[in-house]
Amino acid sequence: MVKQIHDQSSRKPRKVELRPSDFISIFWRSSFEQASWNYERMQNLGFAYIMSPAIKRLYPNKSDRISAMKRHLLFFNTSPIMQSLVTGVVLSMEEQRANGGDVDDTEINAVKTAMMGPLGGIGDPLWSGTVRPVLSAFAASLVIGGFGIYGPILFFVAWNCARLLFRYEAQKIGYQNGTDIINFFNTGILKTVTKATSIFGMFMMGVIVARWVKVNFSITDQLAEQVTKLSGHFFGKLIGSGMTAIAAIGLTLICIWLIRRQISPIWIIIGLFMIGIIGYASGILSIQAFLV
Amino acid sequence: MSIISTILILIIAFVVGMDGILDEWQVYQPIIACTLIGIATGHLVSGILLGGTLQMIMIGWMNVGAAVAPDIALPAVISALLVCGPVALTIKHGIALTIPVAVIGQLLNVAIRKSIVKVVHRADEAANEGNLSKMNRMHLISLSIQGLRVLIPTALVMVVNPVYIQWLFNQVPAGVTNGIAASIGMISAVGFAIIINMMADHTLWIWLGIGFLIAAFSNLGIFTLALIGALLTLLYLWLVNKHQRSKPENGGNDDMDDFDKELDDL
């Protein structure tokens, strides 16, 4: 104990240090990042808002505080949940800087800019492209399957647990490793992780399309029944699920093709409404059982 | 409607509007927003059912980069209010209503994202003064404006006499609402197409196909399928990694550890 105190006093004394309460406050604020999303500098004020407990702690001096606020109001935009990793790294840099470390403004901003692109490339496919569709599709199927309130509760709890845990850990890891994270990015690991999340995301999209895209042909069941009578149960089932499957994947691919041709999703939906109205009127399409 | 449920609905509309821009808590997703409105109005069952149905329609509506997708928060609240509230529309009517309201919500959202720039300039002034609490206030004012984006239209709808709204919807021919109800299963394809389009590159299509075929011709549950997907992903990357082992490389094992971590996060 005595030795420790001696060690500390022999080193250059730390002037200011972030406290556990600051980390908690910053973690809480990170859930409100996008509130001031704007077309000029996007998430800039959001980032400054998250950093503000740290700015307050680290820069009691007015001119330092002003320059810290200004540098965090520069352009920033990334996938929201991944932003906690950036916050962690920036916190460690700011703490070094406040204690006279060799860190300047442009360096902090360069780190933010270097991280936001790659993290956006992982974050969107992972969170909005995989976790949310899988969880919410499962929750919606619970609702339609008659489990009522358990669907929404499951979705809310599972999503927010995953999100908050991720943000908390990412902020901690970012702070502990500081700018080493950037070196870690350059090892190619990031590329492989991006690849892994995209592969998994595409696989799950295939699953979801198969389970939830449905063209409700009113004749599918009758046709399957006829085939079952003629050539056995196996072929009947194959025709039934084969027809449903081809319609589902075909429709999805057509939608992708239209979106790539810059056609607004709203117009595609209106077009599908039209097909639904004509199809229902002519008896080709029917309404799903739970809506009748 | 009682005063308590009116107040509750307005609070829900405000919170949903705020979360619509935050995209954090997912309270604005229809499966939750409609359920909350269902609780506030005392018609929980129809709220949940409407929420589940709208969720399938809007599941893939997401902002990619700076592009703003059709709005989710406003149509979720307005549809739920009209289905569960005193107007008591059918769920089919509620679904038909969402598309025009989603377009209105999107226009409002874009307009606000533009005008928030002025508030951000006030935050710049705060930075020049070194005034942290003023800067934070600007952020929270922006958040409230986004909350009002849903609260105000909701309040306007609540003021209109239910009889007029019912009359209006009775003018819509049954063929149209039934036709729209028949297209629900198809409409979810649009949202999935948005997501697939975001992720797709030419090496990834095969994975869409594999996932699709396994799910289409089996009766496995979605979490079993997710496990299969995770294992296949790991297997593939392990094979690729092994293939590249002949070339000078280090840290291969660390790669695998990180995948495990990443997948645990899922």
Side-chain angles (χ1 to χ4, degrees):
Chain A
M1 195 64 200
V2 175
K3 192 172 177 289
Q4 231 174 11
I5 291 165
H6 179 73
D7 275 358
Q8 273 178 354
S9 59
S10 67
R11 258 189 276 133
K12 195 181 164 194
R14 283 176 82 83
K15 283 185 294 185
V16 274
E17 200 169 39
L18 291 169
R19 296 182 190 169
S21 63
D22 297 330
F23 287 103
I24 298 291
S25 167
I26 288 166
F27 164 65
W28 168 250
R29 280 166 181 248
S30 69
S31 285
F32 299 90
E33 186 197 10
Q34 299 208 88
S36 55
W37 201 103
N38 62 89
Y39 275 113
E40 196 181 79
R41 279 165 283 165
M42 302 191 180
Q43 300 167 345
N44 71 327
L45 178 53
F47 198 89
Y49 172 79
I50 293 168
M51 289 300 293
S52 100
I55 296 174
K56 194 172 180 181
R57 177 77 64 208
L58 296 174
Y59 301 110
N61 179 317
K62 190 141 198 179
S63 66
D64 289 342
R65 182 173 287 190
I66 289 173
S67 72
M69 287 169 80
K70 279 185 174 171
R71 76 172 156 267
H72 289 302
L73 280 169
L74 295 175
F75 178 90
F76 186 77
N77 196 35
T78 190
S79 184
I81 296 170
M82 310 304 281
Q83 156 271 326
S84 282
L85 191 65
V86 186
T87 313
V89 174
V90 171
L91 284 176
S92 87
M93 293 179 86
E94 288 287 4
E95 199 177 46
Q96 277 177 46
R97 190 193 143 90
N99 288 298
D102 186 24
V103 181
D104 64 21
D105 285 15
T106 46
E107 216 175 318
I108 292 174
N109 200 40
V111 165
K112 281 168 73 178
T113 317
M115 289 180 82
M116 68 188 191
L119 285 179
I122 299 181
D124 283 347
L126 178 64
W127 291 99
S128 316
T130 311
V131 179
R132 188 170 65 196
V134 169
L135 277 180
S136 65
F138 180 69
S141 72
L142 282 183
V143 166
I144 292 162
F147 289 94
I149 191 81
Y150 294 108
I153 290 175
L154 176 111
F155 175 56
F156 183 78
V157 172
W159 168 271
N160 282 297
C161 284
R163 175 182 74 87
L164 290 170
L165 196 70
F166 185 92
R167 271 196 180 277
Y168 187 82
E169 287 298 320
Q171 185 178 310
K172 204 168 83 182
I173 290 168
Y175 176 72
Q176 282 164 352
N177 294 288
T179 41
D180 291 346
I181 295 270
I182 306 279
N183 302 331
F184 186 70
F185 272 27
N186 293 334
T187 55
I189 285 173
L190 201 67
K191 222 174 169 181
T192 336
V193 172
T194 312
K195 182 89 183 170
T197 51
S198 304
I199 289 175
F200 182 68
M202 279 296 256
F203 179 91
M204 288 315 289
M205 268 299 127
V207 168
I208 289 179
V209 167
R211 286 291 153 85
W212 281 288
V213 176
K214 261 199 181 66
V215 186
N216 289 304
F217 290 118
S218 33
I219 51 162
T220 311
D221 290 342
Q222 298 159 15
L223 194 73
E225 240 169 65
Q226 290 296 320
V227 176
T228 309
K229 268 181 207 160
L230 288 174
S231 52
H233 185 70
F234 176 74
F235 287 101
K237 205 169 174 243
L238 196 69
I239 284 280
S241 50
M243 212 171 131
T244 317
I246 290 167
I249 194 78
L251 179 66
T252 309
L253 292 175
I254 292 170
C255 289
I256 295 171
W257 184 78
L258 290 171
I259 286 169
R260 295 214 161 162
R261 261 146 207 76
Q262 308 294 327
I263 295 177
S264 152
I266 287 285
W267 285 112
I268 304 175
I269 291 171
I270 291 171
L272 288 173
F273 277 171
M274 294 295 176
I275 294 173
I277 292 165
I278 297 165
Y280 184 78
S282 58
I284 297 168
L285 298 174
S286 56
I287 300 177
Q288 288 182 38
F290 71 94
L291 279 174
V292 176
Chain B
M1 222 175 349
S2 72
I3 295 170
I4 293 172
S5 51
T6 308
I7 293 168
L8 277 177
I9 289 167
L10 291 175
I11 292 172
I12 293 165
F14 190 66
V15 170
V16 166
M18 293 196 291
D19 193 44
I21 186 72
L22 293 175
D23 200 5
E24 292 279 345
W25 306 88
Q26 307 300 321
V27 173
Y28 76 102
Q29 292 285 325
I31 195 164
I32 295 178
C34 296
T35 303
L36 291 175
I37 296 283
I39 292 170
T41 52
H43 292 84
L44 180 61
V45 175
S46 48
I48 294 175
L49 195 56
L50 177 72
T53 314
L54 291 185
Q55 188 68 37
M56 294 316 296
I57 296 176
M58 301 178 170
I59 206 162
W61 293 9
M62 53 181 282
N63 303 327
V64 181
V68 179
D71 191 41
I72 296 174
L74 187 64
V77 171
I78 299 278
S79 284
L81 174 64
L82 292 182
V83 170
C84 306
V87 182
L89 295 179
T90 63
I91 288 183
K92 287 183 222 171
H93 278 127
I95 293 162
L97 176 74
T98 46
I99 300 304
V101 180
V103 175
I104 296 170
Q106 184 184 19
L107 294 175
L108 284 173
N109 196 351
V110 171
I112 289 174
R113 283 171 182 231
K114 279 180 185 153
S115 56
I116 291 288
V117 171
K118 283 179 205 140
V119 184
V120 173
H121 288 168
R122 294 284 304 279
D124 289 335
E125 285 169 23
N128 285 327
E129 299 157 10
N131 189 343
L132 269 176
S133 55
K134 184 179 168 189
M135 184 185 82
N136 290 338
R137 206 158 54 236
M138 290 305 133
H139 188 69
L140 297 176
I141 285 173
S142 307
L143 187 60
S144 322
I145 293 172
Q146 290 284 1
L148 292 175
R149 179 179 74 91
V150 175
L151 188 146
I152 292 172
T154 307
L156 289 176
V157 170
M158 287 168 89
V159 172
V160 180
N161 189 332
V163 177
Y164 296 127
I165 301 177
Q166 276 158 353
W167 177 84
L168 195 71
F169 276 87
N170 286 334
Q171 305 310 303
V172 181
V176 172
T177 45
N178 284 329
I180 286 174
S183 62
I184 297 289
M186 298 193 281
I187 287 166
S188 55
V190 180
F192 300 142
I194 297 173
I195 298 176
I196 294 168
N197 187 43
M198 171 194 74
M199 292 196 286
D201 71 38
H202 59 278
T203 61
L204 290 173
W205 289 106
I206 181 81
W207 294 98
L208 182 77
I210 294 171
F212 180 80
L213 288 175
I214 295 178
F217 297 103
S218 74
N219 292 320
L220 300 170
I222 188 162
F223 289 112
T224 316
L225 290 163
L227 196 67
I228 293 172
L231 290 174
L232 284 177
T233 307
L234 284 176
L235 185 69
Y236 171 77
L237 289 166
W238 180 71
L239 286 174
V240 170
N241 205 24
K242 204 175 153 192
H243 183 69
Q244 286 173 343
R245 218 25 92 71
S246 51
K247 296 165 198 165
E249 192 197 34
N250 43 20
N253 286 325
D254 290 341
D255 275 12
M256 292 305 291
D257 290 343
D258 276 281
F259 294 143
D260 289 340
K261 271 184 215 152
E262 187 68 28
L263 286 159
D264 285 343
D265 286 330
L266 294 176

